Amino acid sequence: MSPEAWWPATELAWLRALEGKYAEAEPLAKVGRHFAPENPYALETSALVAFHQGHCREAVADQQQAVAKFPKEWPEEERARFKQALDAYQRGSSSEAAPAAPLNR
């Protein structure tokens, strides 16, 4: 896959994850994470997939980076959604039940 395809791969990974198809989403999320490691959406998608595959520490770390790299000029509602996902991953990491996927983008 070409480096320019990171955005479509990330979006497809997000959609697959929302469908509960985490194994299908994982390689696509890795493309985004590899070619756009500073992009908040690539990090967020990686976190979502990692969490639902039982990789809680990785999910929390990726979502923390996504929150930290969130541009100030982006909508506050979106920032709040990123923070809610981080809270859910942190809570879910300490419990048996996995939280639901964050709201759609």
Side-chain angles (χ1 to χ4, degrees):
M1 188 174 286
S2 97
E4 295 82 29
W6 74 267
W7 181 255
T10 299
E11 287 297 303
L12 187 54
W14 182 262
L15 293 173
R16 291 294 179 259
L18 293 180
E19 294 169 347
K21 299 176 180 177
Y22 306 111
E24 289 181 31
E26 181 181 19
L28 296 165
K30 285 183 178 184
V31 169
R33 187 79 169 78
H34 177 75
F35 289 108
E38 302 293 313
N39 183 278
Y41 287 123
L43 290 162
E44 174 193 36
T45 301
S46 180
L48 175 65
V49 172
F51 185 83
H52 287 283
Q53 289 189 314
H55 305 291
C56 294
R57 288 185 194 155
E58 181 183 336
V60 169
D62 282 353
Q63 194 66 25
Q64 284 174 330
Q65 286 184 56
V67 169
K69 294 178 185 309
F70 195 91
K72 292 178 183 177
E73 62 274 8
W74 287 10
E76 187 55 40
E77 297 83 20
E78 193 76 346
R79 180 184 310 281
R81 187 179 65 76
F82 272 56
K83 289 180 180 178
Q84 287 172 348
L86 176 57
D87 291 343
Y89 299 153
Q90 289 171 329
R91 281 192 316 273
S93 292
S94 62
S95 72
E96 293 290 322
L103 299 174
N104 289 337
R105 292 188 217 166

